[in-house]
Amino acid sequence: SNLEMCRYLQRIGLDLKLLNHNGHSALHKAAAKGQVSVCQWLVEEAGLGADHLKADQDGDTPSEIARMEGFDMLSLWLGSKQLVSSST
């Protein structure tokens, strides 16, 4: 599964906290594909936080990307994490 692959990549030393030139993180990519379990794991276990919930260079947060792709429940969940991270 995609989640198992993420866990494997982390185990072998891949830095999941990297952002690409557009400001996308693994969280942005998982949100675009509707990967709920991967998004939850990235935030709750892999340590992706406020920097990874921020908008990319186009102004889109992972929550907004999920919404645009039709993953409304994921968008709401990510939005709630975004609110929590911005208040701490």
Side-chain angles (χ1 to χ4, degrees):
S1 75
N2 291 325
L3 179 55
E4 290 305 315
M5 179 57 71
C6 287
R7 287 180 174 147
Y8 168 75
L9 292 170
Q10 184 184 45
R11 271 194 315 273
I12 64 168
L14 180 72
D15 184 358
L16 297 173
K17 295 181 179 182
L18 294 174
L19 299 173
N20 73 10
H21 66 280
N22 291 327
H24 282 184
S25 68
L27 192 56
H28 287 79
K29 300 300 186 184
K33 297 296 182 183
Q35 296 289 316
V36 174
S37 60
V38 172
C39 289
Q40 290 171 333
W41 180 80
L42 287 168
V43 171
E44 296 173 351
E45 296 182 41
L48 274 65
D51 287 345
H52 305 92
L53 290 160
K54 289 181 181 176
D56 60 16
Q57 289 185 357
D58 295 324
D60 298 319
T61 64
S63 176
E64 182 66 13
I65 290 170
R67 187 196 60 76
M68 289 187 295
E69 294 297 329
F71 304 112
D72 295 332
M73 294 304 293
L74 177 57
S75 175
L76 290 171
W77 183 83
L78 288 164
S80 73
K81 296 300 178 183
Q82 190 176 330
L83 289 173
V84 169
S85 73
S86 67
S87 67
T88 55

